[in-house]
Amino acid sequence: MNTEEYRKQFTEDDAVGWECIDQELEKIYPDQEPLHFAPPLHYVAGGNDPLDGISVYKSEK
């Protein structure tokens, strides 16, 4: 994919990296809706946790 194709497919509001990660996790944990956790106040807004949030999947491993 070149830059022009990328710009046609995605906008600045798309989280392309996050979408790619979600696609791969769907292969590992099919048909599973993960639990999502986020800090009450994001780091950029003055919170203490530099993570914006996490997703948790059930696993037998």
Side-chain angles (χ1 to χ4, degrees):
M1 172 181 296
N2 63 34
T3 303
E4 183 178 325
E5 293 168 333
Y6 181 91
R7 288 184 176 149
K8 285 181 182 177
Q9 186 171 348
F10 303 107
T11 69
E12 289 184 10
D13 293 331
D14 290 320
V16 180
W18 194 321
E19 291 172 11
C20 290
I21 292 169
D22 284 345
Q23 289 173 5
E24 293 303 309
L25 287 169
E26 176 64 30
K27 293 176 187 176
I28 299 169
Y29 304 104
D31 304 319
Q32 190 177 142
E33 187 67 32
L35 297 173
H36 300 288
F37 297 94
L41 184 61
H42 288 281
Y43 192 74
V44 72
N48 294 323
D49 194 338
L51 294 176
D52 286 340
I54 62 167
S55 299
V56 179
Y57 294 82
K58 291 181 183 178
S59 175
E60 299 298 322
K61 295 180 181 181

